[in-house]
Amino acid sequence: MTTIDTHAHVFARGLPAIASARYVPDYDASLAAYLAFLDGIGALEGVLVQPSFLGSDNSFLLAALKAAEGRLAGVAVVEERRAPEAAEAMAAAGIRGLRYNLVGRSPEVLASADATAMLAIAAALGWHVELHADAPDLAAALPFLRGFDGPIVIDHFGRPGPDDAALVTSWAADPRVHMKLSAPYRVRHPDIRGLAGRIVDAYGPERLMWGSDWPWTQHEEAAKAVSLLPGAVGLDGATIATMEATARRLFFEWGVSLVG
């Protein structure tokens, strides 16, 4: 069964990293290698997420989207205020969401003037907001998005600790919240299959997506020991098909609404 990979990264050695980068890869993750990975697992489409160490310079990501000729969509990091026209150009290039990596950062960044302006533009364009942080920090961040009128996508099962399963399933009460079942090796919960089942029950597959997290940065060896396909966490075919439809709706069946 084919599926859409909603979480991967491409980068190259020597790209300018931001000063606050927590980790900078010392190898290349090329577009050609990623497309070969998609071919190998039978996935027709994929989604590239801006690597955090590159900050708001999305030029490498945008070049990859252009070279992929519509097979890939993208999620950008844009933390400085941009003109609506600049965001529209990114949308035309295949960007479908804004990512905020809050690991090691205060969730109050979402309340800054620049973030508020960009969130308004994202909502007008029909983009989603993607959040990456450990579960307790995500819980602190979500209230800052009360005024955001669009989907919210949580990375990597919500990165729960051993006692956080009830926390990550509680967010399902907000119909905007979606979740990526991705990167189980970044999750500290001891029962990943049980956690996946609870998440499916809470959210329903129509608010879930699968992502490979290719090329598994900082977990390259661990990922080799983990089956990365969605069936590995106990998802049945009907659930996987619905998750694929959700990913297609958010990333590929999409039209730009011009910002007035």
Side-chain angles (χ1 to χ4, degrees):
M1 177 179 294
T2 60
T3 193
I4 296 173
D5 178 10
T6 66
H7 200 99
H9 308 282
V10 293
F11 48 79
R13 285 169 289 188
L15 292 173
I18 58 174
S20 59
R22 295 177 295 105
Y23 167 73
V24 179
D26 61 358
Y27 61 92
D28 298 332
S30 70
L31 173 64
Y34 177 57
L35 294 178
F37 168 77
L38 289 182
D39 291 340
I41 64 172
L44 299 180
E45 291 103 359
V47 177
L48 298 179
V49 177
Q50 170 76 343
S52 296
F53 75 92
L54 295 179
S56 292
D57 181 357
N58 296 279
S59 56
F60 193 82
L61 168 63
L62 292 169
L65 295 181
K66 182 177 180 180
E69 299 181 330
R71 187 177 182 184
L72 305 179
V75 179
V77 170
V78 183
E79 297 200 356
E80 300 83 11
R81 192 186 305 240
R82 302 283 177 90
E85 294 78 10
E88 287 180 10
M90 295 177 74
I95 297 299
R96 301 293 180 257
L98 291 179
R99 189 189 202 212
Y100 290 89
N101 187 332
L102 302 175
V103 176
R105 304 172 67 199
S106 169
E108 292 183 5
V109 66
L110 296 171
S112 70
D114 286 347
T116 299
M118 285 309 304
L119 288 168
I121 291 171
L125 286 171
W127 287 356
H128 66 270
V129 170
E130 180 175 310
L131 300 179
H132 178 222
D134 290 334
D137 296 320
L138 288 169
L142 286 169
F144 289 102
L145 295 177
R146 284 195 186 100
F148 177 68
D149 184 20
I152 299 168
V153 177
I154 304 296
D155 280 351
H156 308 330
F157 294 83
R159 291 184 57 134
D163 301 318
D164 290 332
L167 179 60
V168 299
T169 55
S170 73
W171 304 329
D174 184 338
R176 298 174 302 165
V177 177
H178 296 59
M179 188 170 290
K180 290 184 182 180
L181 301 186
S182 56
Y185 39 83
R186 301 189 194 276
V187 175
R188 293 179 293 112
H189 193 277
D191 179 12
I192 195 69
R193 288 175 67 94
L195 176 66
R198 292 181 65 173
I199 289 173
V200 172
D201 289 343
Y203 288 83
E206 65 277 2
R207 284 198 281 152
L208 301 176
M209 292 163 281
W210 170 78
S212 71
D213 196 36
W214 189 94
W216 320 295
T217 54
Q218 296 182 280
H219 294 269
E220 290 85 355
E221 292 304 315
K224 291 176 183 177
V226 176
S227 177
L228 298 170
L229 295 177
V233 292
L235 306 181
D236 60 31
T239 297
I240 294 168
T242 302
M243 291 167 59
E244 179 174 345
T246 299
R248 190 169 301 284
R249 171 173 53 83
L250 260 67
F251 291 102
F252 294 99
E253 294 176 353
W254 184 90
V256 175
S257 300
L258 296 180
V259 178

